Amino acid sequence: MTSVVVTGMGVAAPNGLGAADYWAATRGGKSGIGRITRFDPSGYPAQLAGEIPGFEAADHLPGRLLPQTDRVTRLSLAAADWALADAGVDPASFDPLDMGVVTASHAGGFEFGQGELRKLWSQGSQFVSAYQSFAWFYAVNSGQISIRNGMKGPSGVVVSDQAGGLDALAQARRLVRKGTPLVVSGAIEASLCPWGWVAQLSGGRMATDDEPARAYTPFDRDAHGYVPGEGGAILILESAAAARARGARVYGEIAGHGTTFDPPPGSGRGSTLGTAIRIALDDAGAAPSDVDVVFADGAGVPELDRVEAETISGVFGSGGVPVTVPKTMTGRLYSGAAPLDVACALLAMRAGVIPPTVHVDPCPEYDLDLVLHQPRAAVLRTALVVARGHGGFNSAMVVRAAA
Amino acid sequence: MTDSRFTFDDLKHILLKAAGAEEGLDLDEDILDTTFEDLGYESLALLETGGCIEREYGIALDDEALTDSLTPRELISTVNELLAAGRAA
């Protein structure tokens, strides 16, 4: 079976714009969570988020793209550019049909949609931009990345909340295995606008504190919700043979993936998260003892944390593997979270360092070896990334260091 | 009546707002007879530009008018005909 590797990454995170800044912040335990500045949050029950600072779209993208794009697409296009440059790929030197794009999306272009809805309501339908036809849409990031870079191979979008970030990478891996030499994949989210905010609040799981260091504390004895953020990562996936042939630097291999869907609440049947993890391990030809670190989903909601903690100790044994939740420094990024965790895992492998889980005072009932407060030096060959989406989506991915 | 004429500067203003500027393209009067397609403005950008003109000037452009082979000079002329017809009515 074709081995599929990551050769480039573009990162946009609340605690760092670009992979180097993100990794320096994450390894150092620097959080990007704070009070919302994009709009006045004082009238809303929740006021904290992980905002990406310092992204000026006009510095990164041509003027022609600005009137037709939401912030999420601008970030995605810039991150895709960085990932391609990082991989040493000039798309113009590829056959357009040899390049595909698969991203995940949870919200689409909310802020653009908010502006157009405001015009529709206050001025009338003729004032709605023609670009609204696609600028809000889940598939817009795949589409715009494809158009900007002339990528006409198999492409698509996956919509399965936080799990979607891994599901998209898995779909990209399938496309590479079916013969598309290069696929741009991953996800970015950005819906920190009033309309996006109330949509997120409606889920009922957001923390409503105003103390950035205590609002999102997965696996904590006082876990009580999550803080959302914006950002994610775009990765370049290639067949190992193609990467080798062009002399590309390889971060690591997407070695295995598993996905399951939970039974309905009240059915009496438990979560199938453990099955997803076992499928991913089997797919990678790995045993639990091969896994050197787990990047947990870290819902920050007690009943979800409990299921994840029990699942991890069920698969790996009590305290059997180091577990970390770097998203404590970014907030939960929906489908952007897991690609960022995959990028983080690859950077961690290269550095030989597990980044910390910050601000957490772990619940003693969970048998987890959480990497708290400080980074931990470790030889990392194999990492497991876990992502769970609202409504029962489970996804797990095994990432292996470059040989 | 000259103050209500639709000028090249008016078009430039709307084009930039509706569709942005193509890199390396100077929006000066040399482009008057180049088609929008050759200037890099695809059909949707043209649709949005047409919509902006309609809203700002209170006219209705025929959908058929906004083709890829349209030039800025033709569009300016069409808008001015509609404005004149509106004044005459």
Side-chain angles (χ1 to χ4, degrees):
Chain A
M1 189 72 89
T2 305
S3 170
V4 178
V5 298
V6 176
T7 56
M9 59 174 73
V11 169
N15 63 345
L17 192 58
D21 281 0
Y22 164 71
W23 175 245
T26 300
R27 144 186 208 145
K30 183 184 155 213
S31 172
I33 291 174
R35 185 179 162 87
I36 287 178
T37 62
R38 199 78 44 71
F39 60 92
D40 177 8
S42 53
Y44 300 88
Q47 295 162 3
L48 298 176
E51 288 180 333
I52 295 175
F55 178 76
E56 293 295 336
D59 295 345
H60 304 283
L61 297 170
R64 281 287 277 109
L65 280 169
L66 299 181
Q68 57 175 293
T69 45
D70 181 80
R71 176 172 173 86
V72 75
T73 303
R74 297 169 179 180
L75 285 163
S76 298
L77 286 167
D81 284 355
W82 302 334
L84 288 163
D86 186 42
V89 166
D90 172 14
S93 68
F94 276 65
D95 182 329
L97 293 172
D98 283 346
M99 301 178 288
V101 187
V102 182
T103 60
S105 179
H106 163 266
F110 245 79
E111 193 168 18
F112 196 102
Q114 175 180 322
E116 300 312 312
L117 275 177
R118 180 185 288 129
K119 286 190 257 175
L120 176 66
W121 185 77
S122 60
Q123 294 174 280
S125 61
Q126 71 274 28
F127 286 83
V128 177
S129 163
Y131 302 126
Q132 170 65 1
S133 57
F134 59 79
W136 73 274
F137 189 47
Y138 299 113
V140 68
N141 300 330
S142 284
Q144 291 283 18
I145 292 169
S146 154
I147 293 166
R148 176 162 165 79
N149 297 292
M151 299 171 163
K152 298 183 177 177
S155 296
V157 63
V158 178
V159 180
S160 48
D161 189 19
Q162 192 113 348
L166 292 183
D167 296 342
L169 293 173
Q171 172 64 2
R173 176 174 175 243
R174 267 178 227 116
L175 294 176
V176 172
R177 287 184 159 178
K178 286 183 189 169
T180 302
L182 182 148
V183 181
V184 178
S185 189
I188 304 267
E189 297 282 358
S191 49
L192 300 180
C193 60
W195 186 37
W197 200 242
V198 291
Q200 293 174 61
L201 280 164
S202 72
R205 287 176 176 167
M206 266 161 64
T208 53
D209 342 24
D210 51 13
E211 173 49 53
R214 286 305 294 164
Y216 172 45
T217 54
F219 304 118
D220 191 287
R221 57 179 79 222
D222 297 321
H224 55 277
Y226 73 93
V227 171
E230 60 179 357
I234 301 290
L235 307 177
I236 307 302
L237 269 57
E238 298 181 73
S239 78
R244 202 178 310 118
R246 66 176 190 86
R249 180 260 335 265
V250 170
Y251 282 106
E253 182 194 4
I254 305 291
H257 175 249
T259 182
T260 60
F261 197 71
D262 280 341
S267 68
R269 290 176 285 141
S271 166
T272 56
L273 178 63
T275 308
I277 292 173
R278 288 193 183 87
I279 293 170
L281 289 169
D282 284 351
D283 185 26
S289 59
D290 295 328
V291 173
D292 303 309
V293 60
V294 173
F295 286 72
D297 179 65
V301 174
E303 56 268 33
L304 293 168
D305 283 354
R306 175 174 300 280
V307 167
E308 188 174 24
E310 287 173 357
T311 300
I312 291 171
S313 29
V315 173
F316 297 96
S318 175
V321 65
V323 176
T324 189
V325 192
K327 55 175 79 75
T328 47
M329 293 171 256
T330 62
R332 288 177 70 78
L333 311 179
Y334 305 104
S335 59
L340 186 62
D341 275 345
V342 169
C344 191
L346 293 166
L347 294 165
M349 286 172 175
R350 196 163 64 170
V353 168
I354 301 172
T357 305
V358 302
H359 303 149
V360 169
D361 175 17
C363 176
E365 287 173 44
Y366 304 153
D367 287 331
L368 294 181
D369 174 17
L370 271 176
V371 178
L372 297 164
H373 316 307
Q374 299 293 326
R376 184 191 295 180
V379 176
L380 304 174
R381 295 285 313 152
T382 305
L384 175 76
V385 177
V386 176
R388 304 165 79 191
H390 187 82
F393 296 99
N394 301 305
S395 200
M397 183 163 276
V398 176
V399 183
R400 208 176 264 136
Chain B
M1 296 303 255
T2 49
D3 59 337
S4 62
R5 274 189 68 78
F6 183 68
T7 66
F8 177 76
D9 278 342
D10 296 330
L11 174 63
K12 196 163 80 173
H13 170 73
I14 284 179
L15 260 182
L16 285 172
K17 187 172 70 172
E22 190 71 30
E23 259 169 309
L25 174 68
D26 217 0
L27 286 180
D28 61 35
E29 299 205 11
D30 291 349
I31 65 162
L32 270 171
D33 296 307
T34 310
T35 66
F36 281 103
E37 186 180 23
D38 286 342
L39 292 171
Y41 294 100
E42 78 291 350
S43 59
L44 205 62
L46 209 48
L47 189 66
E48 179 65 11
T49 301
C52 276
I53 294 172
E54 290 181 334
R55 295 192 289 264
E56 286 197 17
Y57 291 85
I59 56 171
L61 289 164
D62 192 339
D63 282 351
E64 310 289 308
L66 299 170
T67 63
D68 290 350
S69 58
L70 186 72
T71 65
R73 187 189 301 280
E74 289 164 354
L75 178 58
I76 290 166
S77 156
T78 303
V79 171
N80 280 316
E81 281 167 30
L82 289 166
L83 287 172
R87 282 192 296 271

